[in-house]
Amino acid sequence: MAGLIVAAAAAQTLHAQTSEKKPEAAASPQEQSGGASSATLASPSARSEAYYNFTMGHMYEQQYEATSRPEYATQAIEAYKKAYALDPKSPVIGERLAEMYWKAQRIHDAVAEAQEILKRDPSNLQTRRLLGRIYLRSLGDLSNSSQADMAEKAIEQYREIYRLEPADTESALWLARLYRLRNEHDKAEEVLRGVLKEDPENGAGVEQLTQLLLDEGKSGDAVTLLEGITSRTPAPALLDLLGDAYTQTHELAKAERA
């Protein structure tokens, strides 16, 4: 189960990095965060210098993504650090710095920066998503004893994300996977039923809940769930699961037809 979670996390990360569209020129940190008070930056010259360094960091970050050359990662980090020193209360600069640390494989620095941001702003969803991704990717590099601690850290982030933004079904599904990894099946089922209550046609949610029910021997519940959705959306993966559920309930004729 841990191996599947790590593989899926890697795929999610690659998709997020390659599919994200970024503007050619970065908006200023003040524009992105809704403006800055006069107490945040000392003077117009400091404000201009922070924006300049933020823009340079954004440019180097794009060059690193295009070329994977480590010098661009270093230059992006240094530029973001200069901007952050001038505007240490800016959540936008802090987020970009933490993200850049992670892209450059400076995981310890990424985690430390993200944790500092969350101390100031516990509701910062972007930073929580970054920490969640870091912890997920780390699961495959750890011994079994350390995996439990890392899974708990990931759960903490995805639980908060789901609480703060219940519409984020992707994070909810990761939370359910992590609960299953920890054998906390009741919590996983509660999350998955919450997802399907809001979006009954969520195929990934149906598939996860079905697998969970079958693992727990609740094949009757799995049959009821799958019969309802496959009557509307006969997806091959769900029909295969329905066949498995019929087999568990000893309805072999129905299993063959599914």
Side-chain angles (χ1 to χ4, degrees):
M1 182 70 181
L4 291 174
I5 286 181
V6 173
Q12 177 206 38
T13 299
L14 180 61
H15 174 75
Q17 290 183 354
T18 56
S19 64
E20 181 182 3
K21 294 183 179 179
K22 294 186 176 180
E24 290 300 317
S28 74
Q30 292 75 36
E31 290 171 347
Q32 293 186 35
S33 62
S37 67
S38 59
T40 302
L41 293 173
S43 66
S45 61
R47 183 179 299 108
S48 297
E49 189 175 350
Y51 176 47
Y52 169 78
N53 283 292
F54 180 81
T55 303
M56 293 301 296
H58 180 80
M59 182 187 74
Y60 287 130
E61 182 179 357
Q62 288 185 315
Q63 290 179 320
Y64 175 69
E65 290 174 343
T67 66
S68 298
R69 290 171 58 179
E71 61 266 32
Y72 287 134
T74 300
Q75 288 172 311
I77 288 169
E78 290 306 311
Y80 283 140
K81 284 171 68 175
K82 289 177 181 177
Y84 207 24
L86 290 161
D87 188 1
K89 295 183 179 180
S90 168
V92 174
I93 301 175
E95 289 163 10
R96 294 314 316 152
L97 177 58
E99 184 86 23
M100 195 60 233
Y101 276 138
W102 180 60
K103 290 178 181 179
Q105 298 300 305
R106 291 172 59 172
I107 305 301
H108 177 77
D109 290 328
V111 170
E113 190 60 52
Q115 288 175 338
E116 283 299 312
I117 292 171
L118 291 178
K119 285 180 183 178
R120 297 190 297 270
D121 180 13
S123 299
N124 189 307
L125 285 168
Q126 182 172 333
T127 299
R128 287 197 179 277
R129 290 187 180 107
L130 172 61
L131 267 182
R133 293 200 304 272
I134 291 172
Y135 293 144
L136 280 175
R137 290 294 302 275
S138 300
L139 280 172
D141 301 328
L142 302 170
S143 64
N144 289 336
S145 58
S146 299
Q147 273 189 353
D149 180 59
M150 193 60 65
E152 181 56 40
K153 290 180 178 179
I155 285 171
E156 178 186 359
Q157 298 309 318
Y158 284 108
R159 185 171 55 225
E160 280 300 291
I161 294 168
Y162 187 44
R163 182 183 68 82
L164 292 165
E165 192 171 305
D168 184 352
T169 55
E170 183 176 357
S171 293
L173 293 175
W174 279 113
L175 178 59
R177 291 186 186 101
L178 288 161
Y179 277 140
R180 290 183 65 196
L181 178 65
R182 293 283 302 271
N183 292 317
E184 297 181 77
H185 294 157
D186 289 345
K187 291 182 180 179
E189 184 174 343
E190 180 182 356
V191 171
L192 291 169
R193 290 195 181 279
V195 169
L196 295 177
K197 182 179 180 181
E198 297 299 321
D199 180 12
E201 303 300 316
N202 188 302
V206 171
E207 189 170 343
Q208 266 207 65
L209 181 55
T210 301
Q211 290 170 340
L212 175 61
L213 293 172
L214 292 175
D215 289 346
E216 292 188 294
K218 299 177 180 179
S219 49
D221 291 345
V223 166
T224 300
L225 174 67
L226 287 168
E227 284 181 337
I229 192 169
T230 55
S231 66
R232 302 184 300 274
T233 310
L238 297 180
L239 289 171
D240 287 343
L241 286 171
L242 180 57
D244 293 340
Y246 281 140
T247 300
Q248 282 197 16
T249 58
H250 306 293
E251 298 178 86
L252 300 184
K254 288 184 177 181
E256 291 179 4
R257 289 197 298 271

